[in-house]
Amino acid sequence: MKFQVEENCLTIFLPKEVDHHRAEEIRKDADAVIERNHIKYVIFDFAETEFMDSSGIGAVMGRYRLVHLIGGEVWGVHANARIKKILTMSGVTKIMQIYEEDGK
Amino acid sequence: MRDTNEMEVIFDSYSSNEGFARVAVASFMTQLNPTVEEVADVKTAVSEAVTNSIIHGYEQEIHKISVKCRIDKGVFIVTVKDTGKGIEDVEQAMLPMYTTKPELDRSGMGFAFMEAFMDKVEVESVPGQGTTVRMEKTIGKGRSLWTTQSL
């Protein structure tokens, strides 16, 4: 998993395809980092993501459950139209804020 | 082009094969000249069904999964079959947000996605014997309007 930690904020750079296979790896790696670095804010960066199924939704929900306990938040950035559709359809946008760049 | 065509792939239930199943189905589908959106819809639905077989049907044990595709005129039919533990209550399993494995971060959205992205989803399951998910999607709906018009 590609990621970056800045103070209490974790950015996860998601792979090209977020399916069950890749989501498992993200789950394990992210939870270790969240615990070790006392992460409160998790940013999912979809810049490279072209495919996602419900496993990606599960990954977002799982991290939300973790940081929500300590008053944290999850964010989504750089999502293309397809990814936005998947996120909106699943209803996960109720717990994850989607950061829209200006003009988009 | 002839009206019907079929293919079947059988693979081990490794999670790394989820990507293979999607690509195999997507490339067989190209002969229908689908839109990018239609391919993405079918790939998502196939991914959900195959993941279900791996996690729930076989509970991460390695057995065979069969993915069969059939083209019948403009209709694309994909069948995902496992011989795993089966589903006791199919109706309940298909409810959005229902999952038996929340500890594995499953969202419970698998069947909801299959139903949203395909025209028709049928599930047949016998506890102890396995599950078959049959999905249908008409490809190229409404596209003839502009593809048949001359410029």
Side-chain angles (χ1 to χ4, degrees):
Chain A
M1 181 185 78
K2 284 200 284 176
F3 69 97
Q4 190 183 324
V5 175
E6 275 172 281
E7 291 183 27
N8 62 354
C9 177
L10 164 68
T11 306
I12 301 171
F13 300 98
L14 294 162
K16 200 169 143 194
E17 309 217 300
V18 184
D19 57 7
H20 156 244
H21 181 62
R22 301 306 300 272
E24 276 291 280
E25 173 194 329
I26 293 162
R27 174 169 75 103
K28 284 181 195 136
D29 293 355
D31 288 2
V33 176
I34 289 170
E35 205 176 315
R36 188 166 3 108
N37 298 281
H38 309 288
I39 297 294
K40 198 171 168 187
Y41 300 96
V42 180
I43 300 170
F44 289 89
D45 190 324
F46 295 97
E48 281 182 22
T49 307
E50 289 164 17
F51 176 87
M52 186 169 83
D53 65 15
S54 71
S55 307
I57 304 300
V60 172
M61 282 165 51
R63 307 299 75 69
Y64 171 79
R65 257 181 237 126
L66 270 184
V67 297
H68 178 65
L69 294 171
I70 52 162
E73 287 171 9
V74 290
W75 284 76
V77 296
H78 301 136
N80 70 23
R82 177 74 193 180
I83 303 298
K84 268 186 206 158
K85 186 177 172 183
I86 299 267
L87 293 170
T88 313
M89 274 177 53
S90 70
V92 82
T93 43
K94 284 179 199 138
I95 56 166
M96 178 169 72
Q97 317 252 27
I98 306 292
Y99 178 77
E100 303 272 353
E101 270 143 287
D102 43 281
K104 267 193 187 172
Chain B
M1 200 192 77
R2 53 201 180 285
D3 283 345
T4 61
N5 196 1
E6 271 187 4
M7 75 94 160
E8 181 176 9
V9 283
I10 296 169
F11 51 88
D12 285 332
S13 56
Y14 293 110
S15 64
S16 55
N17 280 337
E18 291 159 6
F20 162 74
R22 288 195 297 272
V23 172
V25 170
S27 77
F28 184 73
M29 191 188 168
T30 53
Q31 60 195 292
L32 283 169
N33 192 24
T35 62
V36 175
E37 188 79 10
E38 284 165 341
V39 175
D41 288 353
V42 170
K43 278 173 90 175
T44 308
V46 168
S47 198
E48 300 296 353
V50 170
T51 303
N52 276 351
S53 291
I54 294 174
I55 300 179
H56 302 287
Y58 293 135
E59 299 187 299
Q60 326 262 17
E61 282 177 22
I62 305 306
H63 301 285
K64 305 289 179 199
I65 296 174
S66 143
V67 174
K68 205 185 270 182
C69 295
R70 181 177 164 81
I71 289 168
D72 200 334
K73 302 204 176 73
V75 184
F76 191 70
I77 303 145
V78 49
T79 310
V80 178
K81 189 175 175 183
D82 68 62
T83 51
K85 72 167 201 174
I87 305 168
E88 295 279 348
D89 186 342
V90 172
E91 220 171 288
Q92 184 184 42
M94 291 180 81
L95 287 175
M97 312 295 282
Y98 176 83
T99 180
T100 51
K101 299 209 186 316
E103 76 282 3
L104 285 179
D105 261 357
R106 305 312 306 164
S107 61
M109 297 302 292
F111 278 120
F113 274 14
M114 289 181 231
E115 289 185 307
F117 291 126
M118 303 296 281
D119 297 338
K120 205 161 140 192
V121 178
E122 285 166 4
V123 182
E124 243 177 77
S125 191
V126 180
Q129 284 184 35
T131 302
T132 303
V133 177
R134 186 181 179 279
M135 303 181 279
E136 250 185 60
K137 189 177 179 74
T138 304
I139 304 300
K141 250 186 280 181
R143 205 174 41 214
S144 55
L145 273 176
W146 57 269
T147 47
T148 51
Q149 262 170 20
S150 69
L151 294 169

